[in-house]
Amino acid sequence: MDGVVFGLCALFGLAGTVLSAREAWRQGARNEYRIARFARAVAFGVCTVGVALAVPAVEDFVESATGMNNAAKLGAHICAVLWCGSLQLMLVDWSYNQEVLKASLYARVAFAVCVLAAMLPLFVNTTDESVEFTTEYAKVPGVTVYLVVYLAYVAITCGEIAFLCSGMALVARRGGHTWSARGLATSTIAALLGVAYAASKGSYLVTHYLGHPWPLRHEEIVSPVLAGLAVVSLITGLTMAMIGKRLASCKAATSAA
């Protein structure tokens, strides 16, 4: 299941990264730098790396090459934090005015740094040849705390992403920008799927701690599917929004001519 889901996500991520990188390059050539476009390219890039690391064959290769147990898991989780953080920066740049933009950007960067600073010591103190950082090893306290920190960050950031995308989708719809509105609406649904993914894994960890977990085999199917749908939908939605903005710009330029 993981191989199929995350392999497909990696293909979508690669396509989205190429398109976003081209857009960012064109922006740089025109000296029209915007944090949003650069952050989107970075987000798609780290997402592609992260989901690739979650493919079992790639995971085994990375751990064999590095000689470090759970190396791929750690890399995938760091990429997920960077992915969510980059998306936040992109949407903040789109949504906030210049008066509060810097403070908003710094706050989200600081939040991501704090989460990584909490995750890394937990990983170092817990990782072992007999332990994997999955819900299967929820009986290990260090694994549970590490995953709860990671999943809490994913839930919070995806919640904000859903809020910002939904607001921008309404504005785009009122302005008659159909492609952008549909893309941002798709991104809203994707972010909610990200919250559902965090809730799925998190609820298993909580119920396991309380002594009444729901079946692990169900969690191992539901969570990857939710994560895969979230990644594919978000990349698709933001790419649609990017195309919509370009179409709107071309239409405006044609009308002016």
Side-chain angles (χ1 to χ4, degrees):
M1 174 65 74
D2 286 5
V4 174
V5 170
F6 293 120
L8 181 62
C9 289
L11 293 177
F12 267 82
L14 183 61
T17 301
V18 171
L19 290 173
S20 293
R22 286 181 61 189
E23 183 70 14
W25 179 267
R26 288 176 179 172
Q27 161 202 320
R30 296 193 300 265
N31 292 320
E32 297 174 354
Y33 178 76
R34 284 294 300 274
I35 294 172
R37 295 192 183 103
F38 177 74
R40 180 177 56 208
V42 170
F44 285 2
V46 296
C47 175
T48 303
V49 174
V51 293
L53 288 172
V55 176
V58 177
E59 181 179 350
D60 292 340
F61 172 77
V62 169
E63 293 188 0
S64 176
T66 60
M68 176 182 170
N69 195 42
N70 293 306
K73 290 275 193 316
L74 177 64
H77 292 158
I78 290 175
C79 285
V81 171
L82 296 176
W83 148 258
C84 291
S86 298
L87 290 175
Q88 278 188 306
L89 297 183
M90 177 194 74
L91 294 170
V92 164
D93 187 38
W94 276 354
S95 305
Y96 288 34
N97 58 46
Q98 292 298 320
E99 295 178 358
V100 298
L101 179 59
K102 282 188 177 181
S104 301
L105 293 174
Y106 291 153
R108 284 153 183 80
V109 170
F111 184 30
V113 169
C114 289
V115 169
L116 290 174
M119 287 170 57
L120 292 175
L122 286 167
F123 177 86
V124 171
N125 292 329
T126 307
T127 190
D128 186 84
E129 291 293 333
S130 61
V131 172
E132 289 189 19
F133 284 74
T134 65
T135 47
E136 183 180 353
Y137 291 81
K139 62 182 179 294
V140 181
V143 172
T144 296
V145 176
Y146 171 92
L147 290 176
V148 166
V149 171
Y150 160 68
L151 293 169
Y153 178 79
V154 171
I156 292 169
T157 53
C158 284
E160 182 183 30
I161 290 167
F163 174 76
L164 293 174
C165 284
S166 63
M168 289 188 291
L170 290 174
V171 172
R173 184 176 297 278
R174 291 183 190 129
H177 304 299
T178 305
W179 270 79
S180 293
R182 289 175 180 172
L184 290 166
T186 302
S187 300
T188 301
I189 295 170
L192 293 175
L193 288 170
V195 175
Y197 157 76
S200 171
K201 293 187 85 71
S203 65
Y204 178 85
L205 294 170
V206 171
T207 54
H208 185 279
Y209 176 77
L210 296 175
H212 302 284
W214 50 293
L216 178 62
R217 66 182 183 277
H218 294 166
E219 188 280 321
E220 290 178 335
I221 293 174
V222 172
S223 295
V225 170
L226 288 172
L229 288 173
V231 169
V232 170
S233 300
L234 198 52
I235 290 173
T236 301
L238 292 177
T239 302
M240 287 173 64
M242 175 178 66
I243 293 172
K245 283 196 169 188
R246 184 181 296 179
L247 290 174
S249 298
C250 290
K251 185 177 180 179
T254 303
S255 299

